[in-house]
Coordinates of all heavy atoms in Angstrom, one line a residue:
Chain A
S256 N -13.9 1.6 -11.4 CA -13.8 3.1 -11.0 C -14.1 3.3 -9.5 O -14.8 2.5 -8.9 CB -15.1 3.9 -11.7 OG -15.7 4.7 -10.9
I257 N -13.2 4.0 -8.7 CA -13.3 4.2 -7.4 C -14.6 4.7 -6.9 O -15.3 4.2 -6.1 CB -12.1 4.9 -6.9 CG1 -10.8 4.4 -7.2 CG2 -12.2 5.1 -5.3 CD1 -9.6 5.1 -6.9
A258 N -15.1 5.8 -7.6 CA -16.3 6.4 -7.2 C -17.5 5.4 -7.3 O -18.3 5.3 -6.5 CB -16.5 7.6 -8.2
G259 N -17.5 4.8 -8.5 CA -18.6 3.8 -8.7 C -18.6 2.7 -7.6 O -19.6 2.2 -7.1
S260 N -17.4 2.2 -7.3 CA -17.3 1.2 -6.4 C -17.7 1.6 -4.9 O -18.4 0.9 -4.2 CB -15.8 0.7 -6.2 OG -15.4 0.3 -7.4
M261 N -17.4 2.9 -4.6 CA -17.9 3.4 -3.4 C -19.4 3.6 -3.3 O -19.9 3.2 -2.3 CB -17.3 4.9 -3.1 CG -15.8 4.8 -2.6 SD -15.0 6.3 -2.6 CE -15.8 7.3 -1.5
A262 N -20.0 3.9 -4.4 CA -21.4 4.0 -4.4 C -22.0 2.7 -4.2 O -23.0 2.4 -3.5 CB -22.0 4.6 -5.8
A263 N -21.4 1.6 -5.0 CA -21.8 0.3 -4.8 C -21.7 -0.2 -3.4 O -22.5 -0.9 -2.8 CB -21.1 -0.6 -5.7
A264 N -20.5 0.1 -2.7 CA -20.3 -0.3 -1.4 C -21.3 0.3 -0.4 O -21.9 -0.4 0.4 CB -18.9 0.0 -0.9
A265 N -21.7 1.5 -0.7 CA -22.7 2.2 0.2 C -24.0 1.5 0.0 O -24.8 1.3 1.0 CB -22.9 3.7 -0.2
G266 N -24.3 1.1 -1.3 CA -25.6 0.4 -1.5 C -25.6 -1.0 -0.9 O -26.6 -1.3 -0.4
I267 N -24.5 -1.7 -1.0 CA -24.5 -2.9 -0.3 C -24.7 -2.9 1.2 O -25.4 -3.6 1.8 CB -23.2 -3.7 -0.7 CG1 -23.0 -4.1 -2.2 CG2 -22.9 -5.0 0.1 CD1 -21.7 -4.5 -2.6
L268 N -24.0 -1.9 1.8 CA -24.2 -1.8 3.3 C -25.6 -1.6 3.6 O -26.1 -2.1 4.6 CB -23.4 -0.7 3.8 CG -21.9 -1.0 3.9 CD1 -21.1 0.4 4.3 CD2 -21.6 -2.0 5.0
F269 N -26.3 -0.8 2.8 CA -27.6 -0.5 3.1 C -28.5 -1.7 2.9 O -29.3 -2.0 3.8 CB -28.2 0.5 2.2 CG -29.7 0.8 2.2 CD1 -30.3 1.3 3.3 CD2 -30.6 0.3 1.2 CE1 -31.7 1.5 3.3 CE2 -31.9 0.4 1.2 CZ -32.5 0.9 2.4
G270 N -28.2 -2.5 1.8 CA -28.9 -3.7 1.7 C -28.8 -4.6 2.8 O -29.7 -5.3 3.3
L271 N -27.5 -4.8 3.4 CA -27.3 -5.7 4.5 C -28.1 -5.3 5.7 O -28.8 -6.0 6.4 CB -25.8 -5.7 4.9 CG -24.9 -6.5 3.9 CD1 -23.5 -6.2 4.2 CD2 -25.4 -8.0 3.9
V272 N -28.0 -4.0 6.0 CA -28.7 -3.3 7.2 C -30.3 -3.5 6.9 O -31.1 -3.9 7.9 CB -28.4 -2.0 7.4 CG1 -29.4 -1.3 8.5 CG2 -27.0 -1.9 7.9
L273 N -30.7 -3.3 5.7 CA -32.2 -3.5 5.4 C -32.7 -4.8 5.9 O -33.7 -5.1 6.2 CB -32.4 -3.2 3.8 CG -33.8 -3.4 3.4 CD1 -34.7 -2.3 3.9 CD2 -33.8 -3.3 1.8
L274 N -31.8 -5.9 5.5 CA -32.2 -7.2 5.8 C -32.0 -7.5 7.3 O -32.9 -8.1 7.8 CB -31.4 -8.2 5.0 CG -31.7 -8.3 3.5 CD1 -30.7 -9.2 2.8 CD2 -33.1 -8.9 3.3
F275 N -30.9 -7.2 7.8 CA -30.6 -7.8 9.1 C -30.7 -6.8 10.3 O -30.3 -7.2 11.2 CB -29.1 -8.3 9.0 CG -29.1 -9.4 8.1 CD1 -28.1 -9.1 6.9 CD2 -29.7 -10.5 8.2 CE1 -28.0 -10.2 6.0 CE2 -29.5 -11.6 7.1 CZ -28.7 -11.4 6.1
A276 N -31.1 -5.7 10.1 CA -31.1 -4.7 11.3 C -32.2 -5.2 12.3 O -33.2 -5.8 12.0 CB -31.8 -3.2 10.8
P277 N -31.7 -5.2 13.6 CA -32.7 -5.6 14.5 C -33.9 -4.7 14.6 O -33.6 -3.5 14.6 CB -31.8 -5.5 15.9 CG -30.7 -4.4 15.6 CD -30.5 -4.7 14.1
E278 N -35.0 -5.2 14.8 CA -36.2 -4.3 14.9 C -36.8 -3.8 13.5 O -37.8 -4.2 13.1 CB -36.1 -3.1 15.7 CG -36.5 -3.3 17.1 CD -36.7 -2.0 17.8 OE1 -37.8 -1.3 17.3 OE2 -36.1 -1.6 18.9
R279 N -36.0 -3.1 12.8 CA -36.5 -2.5 11.5 C -36.1 -3.3 10.3 O -36.6 -3.0 9.2 CB -35.9 -1.0 11.3 CG -36.4 -0.1 12.4 CD -37.0 1.1 12.0 NE -37.6 1.8 13.1 CZ -36.9 2.3 14.1 NH1 -35.6 2.3 14.0 NH2 -37.5 2.9 15.1
G280 N -35.2 -4.2 10.4 CA -34.9 -5.0 9.2 C -35.9 -6.0 8.8 O -36.8 -6.2 9.5
L281 N -35.8 -6.2 7.5 CA -37.0 -7.1 6.9 C -37.1 -8.5 7.6 O -38.1 -8.8 7.8 CB -36.7 -7.2 5.5 CG -36.7 -5.9 4.6 CD1 -36.5 -6.2 3.1 CD2 -38.0 -5.3 4.7
L282 N -35.9 -9.1 7.9 CA -36.0 -10.3 8.5 C -36.7 -10.3 9.8 O -37.5 -11.0 10.3 CB -34.7 -11.0 8.6 CG -34.0 -11.4 7.3 CD1 -32.6 -12.1 7.5 CD2 -34.9 -12.5 6.6
A283 N -36.2 -9.3 10.6 CA -36.8 -9.0 12.0 C -38.2 -8.8 12.0 O -39.1 -9.3 12.7 CB -36.1 -8.0 12.7
A284 N -38.6 -8.0 10.9 CA -40.1 -7.6 10.7 C -40.9 -8.8 10.4 O -42.0 -9.1 10.8 CB -40.2 -6.6 9.8
A285 N -40.4 -9.7 9.6 CA -41.0 -10.9 9.1 C -41.2 -11.8 10.3 O -42.2 -12.4 10.4 CB -40.3 -11.6 8.0
R286 N -40.2 -12.0 11.1 CA -40.3 -12.9 12.2 C -41.3 -12.4 13.2 O -42.1 -13.0 13.7 CB -39.0 -12.9 12.9 CG -38.7 -14.2 13.6 CD -37.4 -14.2 14.4 NE -36.3 -13.8 13.5 CZ -35.2 -13.0 13.8 NH1 -35.2 -12.5 15.1 NH2 -34.3 -12.7 12.9
R287 N -41.3 -11.0 13.3 CA -42.2 -10.5 14.3 C -43.7 -10.5 13.8 O -44.5 -10.9 14.6 CB -42.0 -8.9 14.4 CG -42.5 -8.4 15.6 CD -42.1 -6.9 15.8 NE -42.1 -6.1 14.6 CZ -41.1 -5.4 14.2 NH1 -40.0 -5.4 14.9 NH2 -41.2 -4.8 13.0
R288 N -43.8 -10.4 12.5 CA -45.1 -10.6 11.9 C -45.7 -12.1 12.1 O -47.0 -12.3 12.4 CB -45.3 -10.2 10.5 CG -46.3 -9.1 10.2 CD -46.1 -8.7 8.9 NE -44.7 -8.5 8.5 CZ -44.3 -8.1 7.4 NH1 -45.1 -7.7 6.6 NH2 -43.0 -8.0 7.2
R289 N -44.9 -13.0 12.1 CA -45.2 -14.3 12.1 C -45.6 -14.7 13.5 O -46.7 -15.3 13.7 CB -44.1 -15.4 11.7 CG -44.4 -16.3 10.7 CD -43.3 -17.2 10.2 NE -42.0 -16.5 10.0 CZ -40.9 -16.9 10.4 NH1 -40.8 -18.1 10.8 NH2 -39.8 -16.2 10.3
L290 N -44.9 -14.2 14.5 CA -45.4 -14.4 15.9 C -46.6 -13.6 16.2 O -47.6 -14.2 16.9 CB -44.2 -13.7 16.8 CG -43.1 -14.6 17.1 CD1 -41.9 -13.9 17.6 CD2 -43.6 -15.6 18.2
Q291 N -46.7 -12.3 15.6 CA -48.0 -11.6 15.9 C -49.2 -12.3 15.4 O -50.3 -12.1 15.8 CB -47.8 -10.2 15.3 CG -47.2 -9.3 16.1 CD -47.0 -7.9 15.6 OE1 -47.2 -7.7 14.4 NE2 -46.6 -6.8 16.3
R292 N -49.0 -12.9 14.2 CA -50.2 -13.5 13.5 C -50.9 -14.5 14.4 O -52.1 -14.5 14.5 CB -49.7 -14.4 12.2 CG -50.7 -14.7 11.2 CD -50.1 -15.2 10.0 NE -51.2 -16.0 9.3 CZ -51.0 -17.2 8.9 NH1 -50.0 -17.8 9.2 NH2 -52.0 -17.8 8.4
W293 N -50.2 -15.3 15.2 CA -50.8 -16.3 16.1 C -51.4 -15.5 17.3 O -52.6 -15.8 17.6 CB -49.8 -17.2 16.6 CG -49.3 -18.2 15.7 CD1 -48.0 -18.2 15.0 CD2 -50.1 -19.1 15.0 NE1 -48.0 -19.2 14.1 CE2 -49.2 -19.8 13.9 CE3 -51.5 -19.5 15.0 CZ2 -49.8 -20.7 13.1 CZ3 -51.9 -20.5 14.2 CH2 -51.0 -21.1 13.2
E294 N -50.7 -14.5 17.8 CA -51.2 -13.7 18.9 C -52.6 -13.0 18.5 O -53.6 -13.1 19.2 CB -50.2 -12.5 19.1 CG -49.2 -12.8 20.2 CD -49.9 -12.7 21.7 OE1 -50.7 -11.9 21.8 OE2 -49.4 -13.6 22.5
F295 N -52.5 -12.4 17.2 CA -53.6 -11.8 16.6 C -54.8 -12.7 16.5 O -56.0 -12.3 16.9 CB -53.1 -11.2 15.3 CG -54.0 -10.2 14.8 CD1 -53.9 -8.9 15.3 CD2 -54.8 -10.4 13.6 CE1 -54.7 -7.8 14.8 CE2 -55.7 -9.3 13.2 CZ -55.4 -8.0 13.8
A296 N -54.6 -13.8 16.0 CA -55.6 -14.8 15.8 C -56.2 -15.2 17.1 O -57.5 -15.2 17.2 CB -55.2 -16.0 15.0
Q297 N -55.4 -15.5 18.1 CA -55.9 -15.8 19.4 C -56.8 -14.7 19.9 O -57.8 -14.9 20.6 CB -54.9 -16.3 20.4 CG -54.2 -17.5 19.9 CD -53.0 -17.7 20.8 OE1 -53.0 -17.9 22.0 NE2 -51.8 -17.5 20.1
T298 N -56.3 -13.5 19.8 CA -57.1 -12.3 20.3 C -58.4 -12.2 19.6 O -59.3 -11.9 20.3 CB -56.2 -11.1 20.2 OG1 -54.9 -11.3 20.7 CG2 -57.0 -9.9 20.8
M299 N -58.4 -12.3 18.3 CA -59.6 -12.3 17.5 C -60.6 -13.4 18.0 O -61.8 -13.1 18.2 CB -59.2 -12.7 16.2 CG -59.0 -11.4 15.2 SD -59.2 -12.0 13.4 CE -57.4 -12.4 13.2
L300 N -60.1 -14.5 18.3 CA -61.0 -15.5 18.8 C -61.5 -15.1 20.1 O -62.8 -15.2 20.3 CB -60.1 -16.9 19.0 CG -60.9 -18.0 19.6 CD1 -62.0 -18.4 18.7 CD2 -60.0 -19.2 19.7
A301 N -60.8 -14.6 21.1 CA -61.2 -14.2 22.3 C -62.3 -13.2 22.2 O -63.4 -13.2 22.9 CB -60.1 -13.8 23.2
I302 N -62.1 -12.2 21.3 CA -63.0 -11.1 21.2 C -64.3 -11.6 20.6 O -65.4 -11.1 21.1 CB -62.4 -9.9 20.4 CG1 -61.2 -9.3 21.1 CG2 -63.5 -8.9 19.9 CD1 -60.6 -8.2 20.3
H303 N -64.2 -12.4 19.6 CA -65.4 -13.0 19.0 C -66.2 -13.7 20.0 O -67.4 -13.6 20.0 CB -64.9 -13.9 17.9 CG -66.0 -14.5 17.2 ND1 -66.8 -14.0 16.3 CD2 -66.5 -15.8 17.2 CE1 -67.7 -14.8 15.8 NE2 -67.6 -15.9 16.4
L304 N -65.5 -14.5 20.9 CA -66.3 -15.3 21.8 C -66.9 -14.3 22.9 O -68.1 -14.5 23.2 CB -65.4 -16.3 22.6 CG -64.9 -17.4 21.8 CD1 -63.9 -18.4 22.5 CD2 -66.0 -18.3 21.4
M305 N -66.2 -13.3 23.2 CA -66.8 -12.5 24.2 C -68.0 -11.7 23.6 O -69.1 -11.6 24.4 CB -65.7 -11.4 24.5 CG -66.2 -10.2 25.6 SD -64.8 -9.2 26.1 CE -64.9 -8.1 24.6
N306 N -67.9 -11.3 22.3 CA -69.0 -10.5 21.7 C -70.3 -11.4 21.6 O -71.4 -11.0 21.6 CB -68.7 -10.0 20.5 CG -67.9 -8.8 20.5 OD1 -67.8 -8.2 21.6 ND2 -67.1 -8.5 19.5
H307 N -70.1 -12.7 21.5 CA -71.2 -13.6 21.1 C -71.8 -14.5 22.3 O -72.8 -15.1 22.2 CB -70.9 -14.5 19.9 CG -70.8 -13.6 18.7 ND1 -71.8 -13.2 17.9 CD2 -69.6 -13.1 18.1 CE1 -71.3 -12.5 16.9 NE2 -70.1 -12.5 16.9
E308 N -71.0 -14.5 23.4 CA -71.4 -15.5 24.4 C -72.7 -15.2 25.0 O -73.4 -16.2 25.4 CB -70.2 -15.6 25.5 CG -70.0 -14.3 26.2 CD -68.8 -14.4 27.1 OE1 -68.2 -15.6 27.3 OE2 -68.5 -13.5 27.7
D309 N -73.2 -14.0 25.1 CA -74.4 -13.8 25.9 C -75.5 -13.7 24.8 O -76.8 -13.5 25.2 CB -74.3 -12.4 26.6 CG -73.3 -12.5 27.8 OD1 -73.2 -13.5 28.2 OD2 -72.6 -11.5 27.9
S310 N -75.3 -13.8 23.5 CA -76.4 -13.6 22.6 C -76.9 -15.0 22.2 O -76.1 -16.0 22.4 CB -75.8 -12.9 21.4 OG -75.0 -13.8 20.7
P311 N -78.3 -15.0 21.7 CA -78.8 -16.3 21.2 C -77.9 -16.9 20.2 O -77.9 -18.2 20.1 CB -80.1 -15.8 20.8 CG -80.1 -14.4 20.5 CD -79.0 -13.9 21.6
Q312 N -77.2 -16.2 19.5 CA -76.4 -16.8 18.4 C -75.2 -17.5 18.9 O -74.6 -18.2 18.3 CB -75.8 -15.8 17.4 CG -76.9 -15.2 16.5 CD -77.0 -13.6 16.6 OE1 -76.6 -13.1 17.7 NE2 -77.3 -12.9 15.7
G313 N -74.9 -17.3 20.3 CA -73.6 -17.7 20.9 C -73.6 -19.2 20.8 O -72.6 -19.9 20.4
D314 N -74.8 -19.8 21.0 CA -74.8 -21.3 21.0 C -74.5 -21.7 19.6 O -73.8 -22.8 19.4 CB -76.2 -21.8 21.2 CG -76.5 -21.7 22.7 OD1 -75.5 -21.9 23.5 OD2 -77.6 -21.5 23.1
V315 N -74.8 -21.0 18.5 CA -74.5 -21.5 17.2 C -73.1 -21.1 16.9 O -72.3 -21.8 16.3 CB -75.5 -20.7 16.2 CG1 -75.2 -21.1 14.7 CG2 -76.9 -21.2 16.5
E316 N -72.8 -19.9 17.1 CA -71.5 -19.3 16.5 C -70.2 -19.9 17.3 O -69.2 -20.2 16.7 CB -71.5 -17.8 16.6 CG -72.4 -17.1 15.5 CD -71.9 -15.9 15.1 OE1 -70.6 -15.8 15.2 OE2 -72.6 -15.1 14.4
N317 N -70.4 -19.9 18.7 CA -69.2 -20.1 19.5 C -69.0 -21.7 19.6 O -68.9 -22.3 20.6 CB -69.4 -19.6 20.9 CG -69.3 -18.2 20.8 OD1 -69.2 -17.6 19.8 ND2 -69.3 -17.5 22.0

Side-chain angles (χ1 to χ4, degrees):
Chain A
S256 135
I257 300 175
S260 309
M261 280 168 66
I267 293 172
L268 281 174
F269 172 72
L271 288 172
V272 170
L273 179 67
L274 284 173
F275 299 116
E278 269 203 59
R279 299 228 171 70
L281 295 180
L282 288 178
R286 207 180 311 136
R287 200 176 38 230
R288 233 173 320 184
R289 237 177 315 146
L290 275 158
Q291 270 179 351
R292 194 169 160 239
W293 293 113
E294 267 288 327
F295 200 70
Q297 291 169 67
T298 308
M299 266 197 270
L300 178 61
I302 293 178
H303 179 78
L304 290 176
M305 181 177 76
N306 283 342
H307 293 278
E308 61 188 352
D309 295 324
S310 71
Q312 293 123 330
D314 284 327
V315 177
E316 288 218 18
N317 292 4

